[in-house]
Each structure stands twice: as structure tokens, then as C-alpha cells.
Amino acid sequence: GITYPALQRLIILWAPPVERPKFITALLGNVVGTCVTWPLVGLITEKFGYEWGFHFVSIEIVVFCIAFLIVTTARDGPSNNKWISSEEVEFISNAQALAPPAKKVKPPYKDMMRSSAFWILAICHFGNVWGLNLQLLGVPKLLSEVLGFNLVRTGIFSALPQFTRVSFGLFFGVIGQFLRVRNDRSCIRKSFTVASHILPGISLICISFIGCKYVIIVVLLTICLSLNGAVAITALSNTNDLSPNFDQAIFGLINCFGVTTGFITPLITGVLISKHNGIAEWGWNFIIAGCVYIFCGLIFIIFGTSKEQKWNAYTGDKT
């Protein structure tokens, strides 16, 4: 729960402001973990049993934590990091000097809760995570139980859309960095919401009309999450637009709202397949997810903003 706000803090410390859309793609790193974990755990489970699937993930996390503690001096930022050159430190410091400094005060939660811009962003992120959780939690079940894939093939085909999502996320991040210098941020955010929400929603709805043609299903799922990689320069970047000083708090709150889809989507899936687990029932599941994607994207396109909010200047005088 605290990982993503912490990552937002790292981005603030390390990323020159104009390059933040590209750095924010790092938030899609969970997708890389998915790409690696699903096929490997599937293979390990088939060879050594379910217990070793859990052991593998546990060992992987410990190795990462050790590496992270050695390499990163998160609190102090690049100035005290021994792994980068003095030229890099100077470049980052000069770029950061152009941005307003982050204030170390308690976030203005009441003002956030009363902000329409905050709730519109929360709705946008909710739609994004709904589609992501359907693919993370539902698609492996579809592939194994309906389309008849074995554990290893399920892992590979489930991971493919996740891999393309992070690849396209990097691509969209570079585009966002290029356009930010030349265009209005609100225009950029709203234009790319078509890619991150509207087109993925259409892709999911199309799945309901093609039957059991698994190749086309995997292609459409891959297109869906590839385009959703544009979220790196829409919902994930809009937190910094609204409040550079409190974007970690904003992201923590909207992610808390968004991850509720982690139990909503399995509940809907369970209801739909309770009597019969077939492609028709899954078609309705994809239609629902597609509609959520499109609705949440349209809300942001119509009402969203990239204007800095007044409560960004909050100094801690009230709670």
C-alpha cells in the first residue's frame, strides 16, 4: 500500500521536471514483475509443486530489497548517492531548482476531498485499475478453464499483454516528455486518455463478439494493455499537475480507491460464471470492463484538468 506513494517521492527527487512523464513509466514496473513471475511460477509449480511457487516469489522479493537498500539513498536524493557521477548530480540539481520545492507538511486531506479535480482523477484511475485487474485476476482463469491452456501457456499468454503495456508505456512517456515542452498539459492528458481508456475499452468489448478464437482474444487483450500504457502520461502524471507538493498523498488516495477493483472484478466474474463458465459469460465480463474504461475516460476528458490546485500552497496551518 505504501509502495506507490514512495515511488512518487523517488520520482520527485530524481527526475528533472520536464522528464517526469518518462520516469513515471517506472510505476508500470509491477507489470514487468508480472511478466517474469507468471511464466516462471507456472513452470516452477509444474515441476516442484505449489509450495515452491510461493518460495520463489518470497526469495525474489528478499533479493530485490537487499539490492534496493544497497543502491538507493532515497531520502537524500541524488546529491548523496555514490552510484552516479557529479555531472549527473549537477544536471538533476539544476533542473530541480526550476521547480517549486516540496513542502514537508501534513497533506491537506480535507481540501483534497472537497476538490472536484481530485475526484475526477480518482474516477479516471479507477477505470484504469479496473481493466488492469480484470486482466491480472480474470484472464488467467479464462485461458485455463475456458480455452483449455495448461499452466505454463496460461502464464506466457497472460504475461504478453503486461509486457507490451510497459513497453508502450515507455514509448508514451517519451512522447509525453516531447509534447510537454510544446503543448498545454491538459490537452496532452485528455488526448492520450483516448489511448489509455477509450480504445482499450473498445478492444475489450470487441472480444465479446469473436467466440473462442483464442488467437484473436490474446491479440485484443494485448492491444488493450498496450494502449493503456498511455496511462503513464494521463492519470499517473496528473497527480503532479494538481499538486507537485502533495502528489504522493494524492496517488496514495486514488490508488486506495482504484484497488477496490481488485475485489470488485472477481466478484462480478464469480456472479457471471456461477451457473456456467463459458465464453458467453466472459463476453459480458469484458463488456462491463470496456464500459467502465470508456465511462471513466470520458469523465476525465470532459471534466479533468491539469491546473495546479490552490491547496498545493497549503502550509500546515490547519488540519
Side-chain angles (χ1 to χ4, degrees):
I2 63 174
T3 301
Y4 284 105
L7 289 174
Q8 288 280 4
R9 177 62 181 169
L10 282 176
I11 291 170
I12 291 172
L13 290 173
W14 283 85
V18 73
E19 296 186 25
R20 280 180 186 164
K22 184 167 62 178
F23 274 75
I24 286 172
T25 308
L27 297 177
L28 304 182
N30 62 332
V31 177
V32 177
T34 302
C35 295
V36 173
T37 301
W38 267 345
L40 283 179
V41 168
L43 182 63
I44 289 169
T45 299
E46 281 202 341
K47 296 292 184 180
F48 304 105
Y50 276 98
E51 296 86 353
W52 274 102
F54 290 101
H55 294 331
F56 168 76
V57 176
S58 300
I59 294 169
E60 183 184 32
I61 292 171
V62 171
V63 170
F64 163 76
C65 288
I66 293 171
F68 185 83
L69 290 172
I70 293 172
V71 172
T72 307
T73 51
R75 184 184 65 180
D76 299 322
S79 60
N80 294 322
N81 191 285
K82 62 181 180 180
W83 301 97
I84 65 173
S85 66
S86 57
E87 290 81 5
E88 290 176 293
V89 173
E90 182 179 2
F91 173 77
I92 296 172
S93 299
N94 290 339
Q96 296 285 17
L98 301 175
K103 301 176 177 65
K104 295 183 179 181
V105 297
K106 181 180 178 181
Y109 292 114
K110 289 183 180 179
D111 291 332
M112 288 182 191
M113 295 297 105
R114 291 193 289 258
S115 170
S116 60
F118 168 83
W119 285 110
I120 291 165
L121 173 59
I123 291 170
C124 182
H125 188 61
F126 181 85
N128 165 54
V129 184
W130 184 297
L132 180 61
N133 273 325
L134 177 63
Q135 293 231 32
L136 287 171
L137 305 175
V139 167
K141 189 176 184 68
L142 167 69
L143 296 178
S144 62
E145 296 182 8
V146 179
L147 299 180
F149 288 14
N150 62 29
L151 201 57
V152 175
R153 289 187 71 197
T154 295
I156 293 172
F157 282 104
S158 297
L160 178 62
Q162 313 296 332
F163 177 75
T164 58
R165 182 178 188 250
V166 74
S167 301
F168 274 74
L170 290 167
F171 171 70
F172 284 120
V174 173
I175 293 177
Q177 176 185 331
F178 174 79
L179 293 176
R180 181 175 175 179
V181 181
R182 297 163 176 80
N183 294 278
D184 174 66
R185 283 182 297 182
S186 287
C187 180
I188 295 171
R189 304 286 183 251
K190 294 184 179 186
S191 297
F192 279 91
T193 299
V194 175
S196 67
H197 285 69
I198 308 301
L199 295 179
I202 294 172
S203 299
L204 290 182
I205 292 172
C206 288
I207 294 176
S208 63
F209 298 104
I210 61 174
C212 290
K213 299 174 182 177
Y214 74 88
V215 174
I216 301 178
I217 291 175
V218 172
V219 168
L220 286 173
L221 290 172
T222 302
I223 291 172
C224 171
L225 282 193
S226 297
L227 293 170
N228 181 249
V231 76
I233 55 172
T234 58
L236 298 184
S237 291
N238 192 229
T239 59
N240 189 257
D241 298 334
L242 300 183
S243 177
N245 291 330
F246 302 111
D247 64 341
Q248 307 123 279
I250 295 173
F251 195 85
L253 290 171
I254 67 169
N255 206 45
C256 179
F257 181 52
V259 296
T260 60
T261 61
F263 57 82
I264 294 174
T265 53
L267 283 174
I268 292 176
T269 300
V271 170
L272 290 172
I273 67 174
S274 59
K275 294 184 179 180
H276 181 258
N277 187 9
I279 198 67
E281 291 73 24
W282 279 94
W284 282 109
N285 207 358
F286 288 122
I287 288 174
I288 293 170
C291 290
V292 172
Y293 253 141
I294 293 170
F295 173 77
C296 294
L298 288 175
I299 290 293
F300 185 78
I301 291 171
I302 296 170
F303 301 108
T305 182
S306 291
K307 292 182 180 179
E308 185 178 301
Q309 301 299 293
K310 293 180 179 179
W311 38 268
N312 181 59
Y314 176 72
T315 58
D317 295 333
K318 56 182 180 178
T319 57

